[in-house]
Amino acid sequence: MKFSCITSHLTRAVGIAERFCGKNVTLPTLSHILVEAEGNTITVTATNLEHAVEWRVPGRVTRKGKVCLPAKVFSSLLQSFGDEKIEAEEERGALRLKTESRDGKVNGIGADDFPLVPKVKKTNTFKVEAPLLAENLARALPAVSGSEFKPELAGIFMRAEAGTLTFAATDTFRLAECVFPLAGAMSGSAVSCIIPERTGQEMARILGQDAGGAEISLGENQLLIEVAEGRIVSRLIEGNFPDYRAIIPTRFTTSAYIKKNELVAGIRAASIFASKLQETTIRFSSAGLEIVAANPDIGDYRVVVPAAFEGEEVAMSFNWRYLLDGVQSLGDEELFFGCNEASSPALLRNKSHQRFSYVVMPIRLT
């Protein structure tokens, strides 16, 4: 195998692949990546048997072939090479890398033992703009549950229907729902699944740098995401996601419009004085939105954020991290905050649209 390409393109592909590698003592191949060169393309592949990625790099291939290299070593070496044009040649299972000023060799293992990336038998397919997909995944991810007791909550619920794609996630303390348009008609009827958190994280991270379209396909307990540069394959989480829509409040006794940046600054300052329960109290009154936190070991803090307030005065306590995650996920400069009694869930939304909803449960201190 012998090829040349732009170092930054190969470095990005290997960096993506490295995050898909596994750490399996009995299968050391999973900590390696497969590099294949054929035609005018260098393909980098990695898998941990739960999910896999294939990423393509344009280049000049003078001799086709493949080599299996340790991901961490290969990635670290490429990052040290800068952005010069790179020449690569396979030498008895190793890969020699050269630029005008650098020369390195990475020893590999047998490429024929590398696991095959599964082929997905597509039953439903739809398209969406990659940046929009990444943006909405990033908004839903903070609400994914980290508990192993309910595996169905350890991922992102996805539903495609009637020209829209919905993402939802909940850890029972907060809920995030994003609804956005598909890029065209979908094949098959309405469909839903649960995407593992780690797959969602990588989709958001990778596709956020892609300005093109993404095609999503579902097969038997499998998910396939394809873009111009490559594809991601992942197993899905089995189980039924809870019917969450009933807990999204639609009527409010108290509502306000608040400047996002001012609310973020207030929550962050109050968090310094939060107690072990991480609670911060907010109080709607004629003065605006008051944010209060107190810790007997540190001190206390109070700030009033201007708010266009309507309805009844109310005080509620929240985990400040959960509240901040929701506020930061909103895209508008001004947000809507709706709530009812102190023990009921509150709703955060953008002022200009209702495509993203964030519900957060208050802390019951008594």
Side-chain angles (χ1 to χ4, degrees), residues 238-302:
E238 297 183 8
N240 296 316
F241 199 79
D243 184 8
Y244 63 87
R245 295 186 182 240
I247 69 169
I248 301 178
T250 56
R251 296 183 180 181
F252 309 96
T253 57
T254 304
S255 61
Y257 288 102
I258 312 164
K259 296 290 185 182
K260 174 183 173 180
N261 290 342
E262 293 181 4
L263 184 55
V264 168
I267 296 171
R268 282 179 172 165
S271 71
I272 300 170
F273 298 89
S275 71
K276 292 181 179 179
L277 292 177
Q278 304 293 311
E279 87 272 9
T280 296
T281 299
I282 64 170
R283 182 178 295 109
F284 286 103
S285 68
S286 56
L289 176 62
E290 181 182 6
I291 305 174
V292 178
N295 187 320
D297 298 325
I298 301 175
D300 55 66
Y301 179 82
R302 173 184 175 274

Side-chain angles (χ1 to χ4, degrees), residues 48-49 70 73 76 115 137 189 204 267 277 315:
N48 66 356
L49 302 183
V73 175
S76 299
L137 276 170
S189 57
I267 296 171
L277 292 177

Side-chain angles (χ1 to χ4, degrees), residues 10-20 75 79:
L10 185 59
T11 301
R12 179 177 181 238
V14 172
I16 290 171
E18 183 184 7
R19 299 195 299 272
F20 281 76
S75 178
Q79 290 174 33

Side-chain angles (χ1 to χ4, degrees), residues 157-168:
F157 173 78
M158 180 178 75
R159 181 172 178 82
E161 60 180 338
T164 63
L165 188 63
T166 299
F167 288 140

Side-chain angles (χ1 to χ4, degrees), residues 50-199:
E50 292 293 327
H51 60 207
V53 66
E54 289 181 353
W55 212 251
R56 295 182 289 271
V57 177
R60 181 173 177 269
V61 178
T62 53
R63 188 171 70 248
K64 69 177 184 179
K66 58 184 178 180
V67 63
C68 191
L69 305 172
K72 186 174 182 180
V73 175
F74 189 30
S75 178
S76 299
L77 179 62
L78 284 172
Q79 290 174 33
S80 73
F81 269 39
D83 200 23
E84 302 175 71
K85 181 181 177 182
I86 195 167
E87 301 281 346
E89 184 173 7
E90 187 260 340
E91 297 178 353
R92 297 181 181 178
L95 190 66
R96 173 74 65 181
L97 303 171
K98 293 182 180 180
T99 66
E100 290 184 359
S101 59
R102 300 175 188 271
D103 185 338
K105 185 179 77 168
V106 181
N107 294 329
I109 61 176
D112 292 336
D113 296 330
F114 194 84
L116 294 175
V117 175
K119 292 184 178 180
V120 178
K121 186 177 181 180
K122 302 177 182 179
T123 56
N124 299 81
T125 299
F126 45 91
K127 295 181 179 180
V128 65
E129 295 300 319
L132 196 59
L133 181 66
E135 177 185 317
N136 284 281
L137 276 170
R139 286 176 174 158
L141 277 165
V144 173
S145 173
S147 173
E148 297 180 358
F149 293 106
K150 294 183 177 180
E152 66 274 13
L153 299 185
I156 299 172
F157 173 78
M158 180 178 75
R159 181 172 178 82
E161 60 180 338
T164 63
L165 188 63
T166 299
F167 288 140
T170 181
D171 58 5
T172 71
F173 301 109
R174 65 264 183 79
L175 163 73
E177 183 196 52
C178 314
V179 182
F180 56 103
L182 297 174
M186 61 179 289
S187 67
S189 57
V191 64
S192 61
C193 66
I194 305 175
I195 303 171
E197 180 183 23
R198 186 173 172 186
T199 301

Side-chain angles (χ1 to χ4, degrees), residues 229-247:
E229 293 178 285
R231 66 185 186 122
I232 299 169
V233 180
S234 175
R235 290 185 182 177
L236 297 171
I237 295 176
E238 297 183 8
N240 296 316
F241 199 79
D243 184 8
Y244 63 87
R245 295 186 182 240
I247 69 169

